[in-house]
Amino acid sequence: MPKIVLTDITKRWGDFYAVDHLDLVIDDCSFVTLLGPSGCGKTTTLRMIAGLETPTSGRIEIGDTVVFDSEKGINVPANKRHVGFLFQNYALWPNMTVYQNISFGLKNLKKYTKQEIDEIVQRVARVVKIEMFLDRYPSELSGGQQQRVAIARTLAPEPEVIFMDEPLSNLDAKLRLEMRSELQRLHLTTGRTFVYVTHDQMEAMTLATKICLIENGVLQQYDPPLKVYGKPNNLFVADFVGSPSINFIDAVGTQNEGSMDFTVLDDKKATFSFAEPIDIANWREAEKKADAERAAAKAELAKNKKHVEKGNKDTVFKYHVAMVDDSAKQDAEPTENDYVIGVRPEMIEICDDGGIEAEIYSAMPTGMETTVRLRIGNFLLTGVVFGGVTYEIGSKVNVRFKGNGLMLFSRISGRIIGTGALKV
Ligand SMILES: Nc1ncnc2c1ncn2[C@@H]1O[C@H](COP(=O)(O)OP(=O)(O)OP(=O)(O)O)[C@@H](O)[C@H]1O
Ligand SMILES: [Mg+2]
């Protein structure tokens, strides 16, 4: 089974960079999800690997074969790359029944007998639960059923690498969950490499062995789901994954004997202790050095006559601090004493005394858990409490921050500095 290696892949149209210098190694047998907001370059990346789009520059290897190299002028056509592809805009053949749609690709392969083809069709149809529709035509199916036929058609020829571009987008929530679990089983039992595009972070979290999170054509993080969740590289990643969303708290302060002394939530004194010791001065030095190196590399690139300046500029992510009334909020230019603390909803503990005084702003029980919004002065924090707890709106509670996994970010660059505990 092949490993896929992308080296310095760029795709631009004019000065619009859809994919910006992407390096990516997709391991053999892995399940990689390409995740990111609409228009960030997921489909384009997938199409380039599959050979349906020509990169502007870079190199792509699938297994031992170089399938694309802009410098050497190599470009292996799509049908020779041995990949199965399920498009975002899949099209079933309208004049063929479901059975014929699924078996069509198998007949062309010529290596199967009629009976083998029948077995495969029955098996994949069972996996996606359409075995009762095999004699129908696509126009006689709902959108979700058509989508499942498209999945079956992709799986039938047993390609070594399977690319799927939002294959579950037309399904209802329950079926989606079921299909997700089937896809996970399928990945396990077939041992194929899956590359899966989605903008649904839940889908990416639950299915992937590794998530590749892209924004504006730039790779933000490429890690296993729980690392992306627990130690996001920057504010954008922290905000993009997790539901309910992470809470951001502005913090101003300096380091004092290892831990950070902060003022948070208007006027409250707080201490942030790192899970692993970090010296802020050193961290800043290293960050400045890395930035200078990046700027130098960019300047070097710009000397090339063929270089085109990126029109869709990269900016530091504008994080959102939830407030009851944010009309008076002003965005001052951040200094080195400005930080942002990221608190996942499950890190908020509601208790009877100690910590910070808060008021229940809203409480939404789902049965299994309750999402609670807590008001602290003008600020709102979202917490999740397990179990069916009822809270009276307006009642007074106390709030503490649980555990060692709160995240500290630099406000200037938006990058993570480290994780730790916050005591207020
Ligand atoms: N042929 C083209 N010419 C110019 N720009 C294009 C072309 N194809 C795509 N783009 C642009 O490239 C960017 C990336 O497109 P892509 O289809 O990869 O997005 P995506 O991440 O798959 O988004 P979605 O989640 O909405 O499917 C988009 O902003 C799109 O407008
Ligand atoms: Mg897309």
Side-chain angles (χ1 to χ4, degrees):
M1 293 291 136
K3 162 171 149 180
I4 302 168
V5 183
L6 274 65
T7 315
D8 206 18
I9 285 288
T10 292
K11 175 71 190 178
R12 60 173 177 80
W13 283 281
D15 70 349
F16 180 87
Y17 281 67
V19 176
D20 187 359
H21 299 280
L22 176 66
D23 289 312
L24 198 66
V25 177
I26 298 170
D27 282 321
D28 184 20
C29 299
S30 57
F31 197 128
V32 169
T33 51
L34 303 184
L35 176 67
S38 185
C40 72
K42 305 180 293 294
T43 299
T44 308
T45 304
L46 210 57
R47 287 173 56 84
M48 288 192 290
I49 308 175
L52 303 168
E53 195 79 74
T54 310
T56 309
S57 61
R59 176 187 162 94
I60 302 174
E61 292 152 74
I62 300 181
D64 299 328
T65 321
V66 177
V67 293
F68 181 83
D69 191 318
S70 56
E71 275 172 19
K72 295 200 179 118
I74 300 171
N75 193 2
V76 177
N79 58 1
K80 301 242 161 67
R81 292 194 187 186
H82 304 291
V83 296
F85 202 104
L86 175 54
F87 298 96
Q88 191 166 12
N89 304 315
Y90 58 90
L92 300 172
W93 288 287
N95 55 335
M96 291 187 200
T97 63
V98 169
Y99 189 101
Q100 289 163 335
N101 261 287
I102 298 174
S103 61
F104 184 77
L106 297 174
K107 284 191 193 128
N108 285 353
L109 286 179
K110 292 199 179 87
K111 65 176 176 184
Y112 298 110
T113 64
K114 201 157 177 282
Q115 195 196 341
E116 281 169 333
I117 289 179
D118 193 56
E119 278 166 14
I120 295 172
V121 174
Q122 297 290 347
R123 184 167 44 80
V124 293
R126 247 194 327 276
V127 168
V128 297
K129 303 195 170 55
I130 47 159
E131 66 267 44
M132 54 297 223
F133 304 130
L134 287 175
D135 296 327
R136 287 209 205 167
Y137 287 90
S139 62
E140 299 165 338
L141 299 173
S142 75
Q145 289 159 350
Q146 289 179 30
Q147 198 155 33
R148 282 181 278 157
V149 175
I151 297 176
R153 185 176 64 180
T154 313
L155 299 176
E158 304 189 324
E160 295 192 335
V161 185
I162 298 171
F163 290 146
M164 292 189 173
D165 196 347
E166 314 238 6
L168 309 183
S169 57
N170 283 349
L171 307 185
D172 66 60
K174 193 160 170 280
L175 199 54
R176 254 181 114 111
L177 204 67
E178 229 172 275
M179 285 302 306
R180 252 189 236 160
S181 130
E182 289 302 333
L183 282 175
Q184 191 177 45
R185 297 287 320 162
L186 204 75
H187 172 241
L188 217 69
T189 48
T190 56
R192 309 285 145 148
T193 305
F194 278 63
V195 186
Y196 187 100
V197 170
T198 176
H199 59 246
D200 180 336
Q201 53 102 7
M202 210 48 151
E203 209 160 280
M205 287 290 290
T206 48
L207 283 174
T209 52
K210 256 178 148 181
I211 292 180
C212 167
L213 187 48
I214 307 172
E215 155 69 346
N216 199 27
V218 181
L219 179 66
Q220 304 291 319
Q221 190 155 3
Y222 183 47
D223 274 318
L226 292 181
K227 173 126 193 247
V228 173
Y229 185 80
K231 206 168 179 207
N233 282 346
N234 55 44
L235 292 168
F236 170 81
V237 178
D239 185 66
F240 198 85
V241 297
S243 170
S245 296
I246 192 168
N247 298 286
F248 290 124
I249 301 174
D250 282 322
V252 183
T254 50
Q255 191 160 38
N256 181 19
E257 290 175 15
S259 56
M260 309 286 300
D261 284 342
F262 284 138
T263 306
V264 297
L265 303 165
D266 276 339
D267 55 358
K268 299 187 174 50
K269 298 288 167 220
T271 320
F272 187 94
S273 349
F274 288 110
E276 285 161 29
I278 288 174
D279 183 280
I280 281 290
N282 286 346
W283 185 85
R284 251 183 229 294
E285 253 345 280
E287 187 185 42
K288 277 186 194 151
K289 201 168 149 227
D291 278 343
E293 279 168 11
R294 259 189 292 271
K298 248 189 166 166
E300 194 56 42
L301 265 183
K303 282 186 198 154
N304 188 329
K305 276 203 196 78
K306 283 193 195 146
H307 176 74
V308 177
E309 193 66 30
K310 188 173 181 178
N312 46 324
K313 290 263 176 284
D314 298 308
T315 52
V316 175
F317 174 70
K318 282 204 176 53
Y319 64 99
H320 175 72
V321 177
M323 290 192 203
V324 179
D325 171 19
D326 57 5
S327 56
K329 190 172 187 276
Q330 286 170 347
D331 272 331
E333 199 56 31
T335 71
E336 290 199 347
N337 289 341
D338 282 312
Y339 299 87
V340 184
I341 299 171
V343 186
R344 295 270 177 217
E346 66 275 18
M347 297 168 180
I348 290 181
E349 184 182 1
I350 300 176
C351 48
D352 293 332
D353 51 76
I356 326 166
E357 286 178 8
E359 186 188 298
I360 304 284
Y361 188 74
S362 68
M364 291 164 283
T366 64
M368 189 168 68
E369 69 205 2
T370 305
T371 304
V372 189
R373 294 204 99 186
L374 298 146
R375 177 179 183 159
I376 300 168
N378 192 22
F379 295 94
L380 289 173
L381 294 180
T382 304
V384 174
V385 185
F386 203 70
V389 197
T390 38
Y391 291 100
E392 198 175 323
I393 302 213
S395 62
K396 302 271 183 255
V397 291
N398 286 59
V399 168
R400 274 196 296 248
F401 300 110
K402 266 193 288 194
N404 227 355
L406 280 78
M407 306 147 203
L408 186 68
F409 300 91
S410 150
R411 231 190 101 183
I412 297 178
S413 67
R415 287 192 204 116
I416 195 163
I417 300 168
T419 55
L422 184 70
K423 206 161 176 272
V424 184

